[in-house]
Amino acid sequence: MRSQRRYRMLAAAVGAACLAASASLDAQAVITNGTVTLGVGQRGELNVGSAAGAPGYGGVGVRLNDNGWDGTYAGCTCEGWGAGVSGGTYNGVFSTASTTTGYSNVNDVSFSSTASTATSAVTMRSAGTDVMRITQVYTPAPETPNLYQVTVTLENLTGAMLGAGSDAIRYRRVMDWDVPLPGYEVVTMTGWGATNLLAMNSNGFAPSNPFSSTSSICGAPTNVNFTNVGPCDHGALFDFAFPALLAGESRSFTIFYGSFVDLASARTGLGAVGAEVATWAFCGEGRNPGTTFGGACDGANGTTFVFGFEGVGGTVIEPPPLSVVPEPGTVLLLGTGLVGLLVTARRRRPSACTPSCPS
């Protein structure tokens, strides 16, 4: 499954990057696959002001089309990313893009979109020299209509090694859950222990600078898995660290954003895409955001928003559903094994008949 996903990621990134060359600046896009709608800013961040927002919202972040709930737009539209370099010639250089904390050192911006996809590419500079390109390609996840995947590619543009050591290339993603309004969300975070996961907590209001320190909020712990903290107004922050990049080398991983009708479906979806690190949030049972949002919330039995990562050195946090089609080689081996077992069973099957059995 991962090899197929890697192929799809690279194909999507190459194709969308070509479209990006002709895009205009100061752009944004509201994209949808019919089930989930995202509002994507030109620098790859989410949450854009738009008349396309569902009732009760002034724009679009991550929306479940079925009921119009948006999981990130209400209240603080805090969603963004930061990338940086640790060690070596460009130690401490970073770029950020956030709807609330602003933009820093994002250059050569290109942006393009279709009805269902969006691509952002920017460069990070040091003393006027481009040192890294950050490309983020939003496409519908092929495994489930309830998730979008974001292929993030970090590319060394220098003629030498970029950074030093195993934690040289940094990437932070931070967002504030508001399900469907601020303070209603019950949050879970999981996947701690993944090789490339440097830090995680539920402080969705933290800056997107990957070198800035953060602290926990809402009583949720830091750098440990936790379940169902809330209702409270919080979100998720993930810091990743990857090895230094050789000249011209790049590294890609995948982010997932989306929403499901309930928690059970959300966990199945995360298993289908092979998420290794994730957070999810639902509206606390008994909370009532008003008739615009359907009245009282159903907790884990109601709308659940998810945010996850794959390709970050972890193990799949949820087993893939049985409906996932295995690789052709796996089918062949499985079939051969079953035939062998049937033949063996037939040879060894004892007779159940006695002399009184019919001939």
Side-chain angles (χ1 to χ4, degrees), residues 82-119:
V85 180
S86 176
T89 304
Y90 301 103
N91 180 48
V93 176
F94 66 90
S95 297
T96 65
S98 170
T99 52
T100 53
T101 59
Y103 310 98
S104 174
N105 196 17
V106 284
N107 309 280
D108 296 333
V109 180
S110 65
F111 184 82
S112 67
S113 64
T114 68
S116 62
T117 69
T119 296

Side-chain angles (χ1 to χ4, degrees), residues 14-27 42 108-114 119-121:
V14 171
C18 291
L19 290 174
S22 61
S24 61
L25 301 185
D26 298 319
Q42 68 166 354
D108 296 333
V109 180
S110 65
F111 184 82
S112 67
S113 64
T114 68
T119 296
S120 167

Side-chain angles (χ1 to χ4, degrees), residues 3 15 20 27 34 37 43 55 89 91 142 163 166 179 184 189 195 236 259 356-357:
S3 61
T37 298
R43 298 169 182 87
T89 304
N91 180 48
S166 60
V179 182
Y184 287 76
M189 297 186 73
T195 302
S259 184
S356 62
C357 290

Side-chain angles (χ1 to χ4, degrees), residues 236-322:
L237 177 149
F238 296 98
D239 280 336
F240 296 95
F242 303 98
L245 293 172
L246 299 175
E249 187 181 15
S250 64
R251 176 179 293 274
S252 295
F253 57 94
T254 308
I255 304 175
F256 302 99
Y257 273 106
S259 184
F260 295 80
V261 295
D262 56 29
L263 176 58
S265 300
R267 298 180 72 149
T268 299
L270 289 170
V273 298
E276 303 160 2
V277 174
T279 178
W280 54 78
F282 50 79
C283 183
E285 189 171 359
R287 293 286 172 132
N288 192 335
T291 56
T292 298
F293 303 98
C297 298
D298 295 324
N301 295 315
T303 302
T304 302
F305 288 84
V306 301
F307 173 31
F309 298 84
E310 188 267 341
V312 292
T315 58
V316 177
I317 58 177
E318 297 288 339
L322 295 177

